[in-house]
Amino acid sequence: MEKIEHTMVRTNGINMHVASIGSGPAILFLHGFPELWYSWRHQMLSLSSLGFRAIAPDLRGYGDTDAPPSPDSYSALHIVGDLVGLLDHMGLDQVFLVGHDWGAIIAWYFCLFRPDRIKALVNLSVPFFRRDPTINFVEKFRAALGDDFYMCRFQISGEAEEDFSWDTVKVFTRILANRDPKPPLIPKEIGFRGIYKDPPSLPSWLSQQDINHYATKFNQTGFTGGLNYYRALNLTWSLTAAWTEGRVKVPTKFILGDLDLTYHFTGMKEYIHSEEGLKKDVPALDQVELLTLSIKRNHMRSLNTFTIISFPNSDTRNRKC
């Protein structure tokens, strides 16, 4: 860990904290909610030893990166703009891109907006979401899952922040160790504090040290930056009308677990595995890999990456990560 370098980069009007290590072909890692660059530390060390340059920023609103107060500063265009500026600052014309959770959503948009900057994509957990021109993202979730669905509840400023700040150690234990694939519904009378008060025991691949690292950082920064991604969903929907029929055309591998939340959304399994679904929206899709809990346990301990994958269509195609 002490070999990982930490720098601050000025990009797109903000100061971004960036962790990096190694030299060679560059891989850009994008974390999810509520996480940090730290989520990729194992992959960064492993891949740098194989001749790659691993780069993992704290995304806008997280960790040591600036967190503009307004949700209007967190559209997908803002976040991708930050990352394009980061690549320009580092003198990188193209990178391999890896995303998880919200980082996966941003990665899809990155490939949609600027495919010229991406050699290949490996995305985890969250599939590409087609833009429905007839209804925005939040209202579509509300219609399907009701007002208590967590993304709808996140729209209320201050409510989730207060509940998450109540006991950050319990919150992160509950979020990171969760294995319940049902869509989280949070009745107002219970609140997020109510469902996080009795966290599960830690799995073998997650340590108390890891939990404490996240809890300490979020105690310092709060959760508003990360929650603003959800509060900007409809702004992203409004600003991306020109990409309504857009397709992700970079070489892609998509990996998810059988207990991932999004996999259990209504119609999602059919979309992911159908030729008229994800394959149509991502025509250069090389592979969809669905992992069971037993597979994840075997891989998480050593690499924390779920699987062994190769990047297609490049001069490093025979290297593994």
Side-chain angles (χ1 to χ4, degrees):
M1 287 285 287
E2 66 275 6
K3 295 179 181 179
I4 295 177
E5 298 179 355
H6 297 268
T7 57
M8 296 297 294
V9 172
R10 185 70 180 172
T11 173
N12 196 25
I14 65 167
N15 296 304
M16 173 175 279
H17 167 244
V18 182
S20 63
I21 185 172
S23 60
I27 306 173
L28 178 63
F29 293 94
L30 307 181
H31 66 77
F33 173 87
E35 299 179 59
L36 302 163
W37 76 268
Y38 181 83
S39 300
W40 300 110
R41 63 202 181 280
H42 297 304
Q43 292 87 350
M44 294 176 71
L45 294 172
S46 178
L47 289 167
S48 65
S49 71
L50 296 175
F52 289 93
R53 182 182 184 185
I55 304 164
D58 284 334
L59 295 177
R60 174 182 291 234
Y62 288 94
D64 294 320
T65 294
D66 287 350
S70 172
D72 291 346
S73 297
Y74 290 82
S75 75
L77 289 166
H78 287 89
I79 312 305
V80 173
D82 297 343
L83 298 170
V84 170
L86 171 62
L87 299 191
D88 290 344
H89 177 89
M90 303 183 84
L92 297 170
D93 292 330
Q94 284 192 318
V95 294
F96 295 110
L97 186 61
V98 181
H100 170 253
D101 188 70
W102 252 107
I105 296 174
I106 297 302
W108 292 122
Y109 278 118
F110 200 156
C111 294
L112 195 62
F113 299 158
R114 294 299 305 271
D116 58 305
R117 306 303 295 264
I118 308 301
K119 292 181 180 179
L121 168 68
V122 176
N123 246 358
L124 305 173
S125 299
V126 181
F128 182 82
F129 283 113
R130 290 177 178 170
R131 183 185 184 277
D132 184 342
T134 67
I135 186 172
N136 66 45
F137 290 126
V138 175
E139 292 311 310
K140 191 166 188 175
F141 283 124
R142 196 185 307 277
L145 296 164
D147 292 336
D148 289 341
F149 183 56
Y150 78 104
M151 291 189 189
C152 300
R153 294 297 303 276
F154 280 173
Q155 304 303 312
I156 304 172
S157 179
E159 182 178 287
E161 285 94 329
E162 182 178 352
D163 278 354
F164 285 162
S165 300
W166 158 68
D167 188 327
T168 51
V169 170
K170 287 186 177 180
V171 166
F172 277 102
T173 303
R174 179 70 170 82
I175 292 175
L176 298 181
N178 181 49
R179 286 295 177 269
D180 186 353
K182 296 191 297 293
L185 302 179
I186 318 296
K188 186 174 181 58
E189 60 273 16
I190 296 177
F192 293 93
R193 185 181 306 191
I195 67 169
Y196 290 151
K197 66 181 181 180
D198 296 316
S201 57
L202 293 181
S204 60
W205 51 266
L206 184 63
S207 72
Q208 191 61 51
Q209 180 182 355
D210 295 335
I211 295 292
N212 293 342
H213 180 90
Y214 288 110
T216 298
K217 182 57 69 174
F218 278 82
N219 278 336
Q220 296 169 357
T221 66
F223 289 83
T224 299
L227 290 165
N228 278 341
Y229 284 64
Y230 296 92
R231 293 165 186 163
L233 273 169
N234 286 345
L235 176 60
T236 291
W237 179 85
S238 297
L239 294 175
T240 55
W243 288 275
T244 296
E245 296 296 329
R247 301 289 182 259
V248 173
K249 297 181 180 180
V250 305
T252 299
K253 291 194 177 189
F254 180 57
I255 305 167
L256 76 165
D258 62 339
L259 295 182
D260 277 338
L261 168 65
T262 52
Y263 191 58
H264 293 268
F265 284 179
T266 301
M268 191 58 70
K269 294 178 183 178
E270 293 78 9
Y271 169 74
I272 290 172
H273 299 294
S274 168
E275 287 293 324
E276 291 299 310
L278 184 61
K279 180 64 177 177
K280 182 177 180 180
D281 289 334
V282 188
L285 182 67
D286 178 70
Q287 180 183 359
V288 172
E289 183 159 353
L290 178 67
L291 303 168
T292 65
L293 184 59
S294 60
I295 294 175
K296 284 186 279 188
R297 282 172 175 162
N298 289 338
H299 288 289
M300 286 293 284
R301 180 180 293 275
S302 59
L303 288 179
N304 197 26
T305 57
F306 301 158
T307 190
I308 297 176
I309 53 179
S310 62
F311 290 112
N313 299 335
S314 76
D315 58 358
T316 55
R317 70 174 66 204
N318 293 321
R319 286 174 153 165
K320 304 290 184 179
C321 71

